[in-house]
Amino acid sequence: MRPLFPSFALLLAMLAMAGCSTTQLPKTHAQLTQSALEADYFQVRIPTRDGKKLAATVYQPELQAGQSAPLIIATHGFGGFRAKRPLSIYGKAVLTGEAAIAAWKAGYWVVFYDQRGWGQSGGRVHMMDPEFEVADLSQVIDWSLDHLPGVSRLPDNSPAIGMIGESYGAGLQTLATFTEPRLKALVPLTGWHDMNSLAPNGEFRTGWGAILLSAGAINSGFDVGEMFAKPWNSAFDGTVSQDMQTLLYERSPASFCDKGMAPHADALFIQGFHDTIFAFQEAVKNADCWKDQGKDARVIGLQGGHVMPWPIQQWRGWLPIYQTEDTVYCGDYEASTTDVILSWWDEKLKGQESVVPQYCVNVTEERGLAIEEDLPPANRFNLPKSKVTIPLAGAFEWLMIPFDTGSDLFRAMWPGADLRDLKPNGGFGRPKFIPLYVVRGDDEVMLGTPKIDLRIAGTSSSNSMPMFVGVGVQHANRRRVRVASEQLTPLPEKGIYEMELPAVSQPLKAGDRVGLVVYGFTTQFPINSAFLARSATIKGDVWLPITREEAISLAPERPF
């Protein structure tokens, strides 16, 4: 009998060659197909202005002679890669790929490409430089219109082009639309308004930095030299330089919005509350900018997004780092997330009926609200002066989980054992929790943007007094304090902090305690903490967005 291994190896080699082979397409400017096209996909190379080649996969829809279809441009996040075939990691597990493949099957042209320096594309990674990554997108559009027959036209005779991408790919869309008028319908997934969200109060998210550097190095062929060059390298000690903060702002939609510049495309912003890189309000601020300039902008709030691996953040699925829900819930109505995206493109690029909600938020992964206009305002609470030992506060929290489980069982056995009311607890080993409010009813929800006006002081002779604050929720008859939406914000020095915290989405039950939680150490910011123990004090005011669901929910006039 012939050995099986050589035959199997040959088969793998043939599949690899088939996946890497490229197709040369002739130029065509035909707005309608000249002959019938079968549904297919193939690999191409797209030239850039500086002579590099971008690897892309063209998904060709089934079309009859004389027909046309809108075009969707799809691209990936930082450290990612394109969906080279329908059965692929991106095509089956990442929302960008799922929506792109769904669009192809629904009759759209799709061009899914690797950004420069990533995957199989040439060139170096330039970290969203307008002269490189943003300019490349226009080249992809040029190539597509030159080589794909039958790209639909809108009533004004402009090409019907939409786009989708997560994270890095979301930022690309929102930057390009200020200079690229051919983009019409964007779907930025978990992007940024101001890229300084990577470094709140100048403190780089070093937990994420380690993950992204590792993933980026692998998928770029270790082409991460830009990260070690100035000013990017200032992030390695945990605190970014002023030059880096300026650069992050310049490569953000905020820099265009603040100048009063108008985006060319309408946008469906999808953002997650548990996203610990780009908080939910990044999408809200982008949407506000779009609306101020007369564009259509809608917001879908999910729970997932950029989620750090367990146990740093809650386990949300088998795919590490990036997870989104499959379903959007909007009051009594629901639809798959991919169907919502397709409906958006159908409306904007095919002229079909508008069915996508203006503002929808998944309060949990299984329940959501249709929001009337904006998230509710926050209520003010006075925070009494409290002491915290840093960096020890919260440093051993993960070790206490089994002890908390045992004490919770004891409380459940003895009615009335949970008598803590609003008594502060923790601060040495455990995080400091300063409860401010006891929930009265099961219909209450914390949904919106908390704010703080806090004064930080302490025993250190220097100004350095790093701590990390968030909104804490201590459920009735439970010992452990959970951080609402897992969002912590660094306060690096003594002084006064008047600022927003990341938006939260947290269902509540009667008896839950809500307040400020303070950590001296967190694995979200592992090298931003103090290394010498010191005593700190914190006092001021906290605004918590607690309301009843009926006060903010809107029953949609029509279902999806």
Side-chain angles (χ1 to χ4, degrees), residues 289-313:
C289 168
W290 260 240
K291 292 174 183 177
D292 288 345
Q293 297 299 328
K295 306 304 292 186
D296 187 1
R298 304 180 201 178
V299 177
I300 302 293
L302 302 180
Q303 288 296 304
H306 300 89
V307 178
M308 300 187 78
W310 182 88
I312 301 175
Q313 284 193 252

Side-chain angles (χ1 to χ4, degrees), residues 443-510:
D443 62 339
E444 294 186 43
V445 62
M446 183 161 54
L447 181 62
T449 305
K451 296 190 298 182
I452 58 172
D453 181 0
L454 299 177
R455 179 181 295 274
I456 308 299
T459 58
S460 172
S461 59
S462 67
N463 281 331
S464 177
M465 193 61 69
M467 62 180 66
F468 309 89
V469 302
V471 177
V473 178
Q474 194 172 41
H475 296 301
N477 291 312
R478 296 291 185 268
R479 170 61 185 85
R480 190 178 183 195
V481 178
R482 299 184 180 273
V483 181
S485 297
E486 303 177 288
Q487 297 286 354
L488 291 171
T489 299
L491 307 181
E493 298 179 339
K494 299 174 184 176
I496 297 175
Y497 292 87
E498 297 181 47
M499 61 181 293
E500 289 184 346
L501 298 181
V504 296
S505 171
Q506 177 74 50
L508 300 170
K509 296 289 186 180

Side-chain angles (χ1 to χ4, degrees), residues 117-119 125 215-224:
W118 303 109
V125 176
I218 293 170
N219 193 41
S220 66
F222 295 91
D223 175 21
V224 290

Side-chain angles (χ1 to χ4, degrees), residues 330-452:
C330 213
D332 294 333
Y333 308 109
E334 65 183 70
S336 75
T337 312
T338 54
D339 283 347
V340 173
I341 294 170
L342 281 178
S343 295
W344 169 254
W345 286 329
D346 287 344
E347 174 189 340
K348 296 298 178 180
L349 304 178
K350 292 184 176 181
Q352 295 185 9
E353 181 185 5
S354 174
V355 295
V356 177
Q358 291 291 328
Y359 203 151
C360 202
V361 170
N362 280 13
V363 179
T364 70
E365 293 183 351
E366 299 178 346
R367 181 169 63 87
L369 299 174
I371 305 300
E372 186 167 2
E373 289 185 2
D374 298 310
L375 294 181
N379 301 304
R380 180 178 177 179
F381 297 88
N382 178 256
L383 187 84
K385 185 176 181 179
S386 302
K387 292 183 179 180
V388 183
T389 302
I390 57 174
L392 299 178
F396 309 110
E397 185 67 359
W398 61 279
L399 290 173
M400 302 304 295
I401 294 176
F403 297 98
D404 290 345
T405 302
S407 64
D408 291 345
L409 290 173
F410 175 79
R411 288 192 181 92
M413 293 171 58
W414 295 93
D418 189 15
L419 301 174
R420 292 160 295 168
D421 295 326
L422 293 178
K423 182 180 179 181
N425 55 77
F428 187 92
R430 306 300 298 262
K432 184 73 174 186
F433 178 55
I434 310 158
L436 303 172
Y437 176 76
V438 178
V439 178
R440 297 180 177 87
D442 291 349
D443 62 339
E444 294 186 43
V445 62
M446 183 161 54
L447 181 62
T449 305
K451 296 190 298 182
I452 58 172

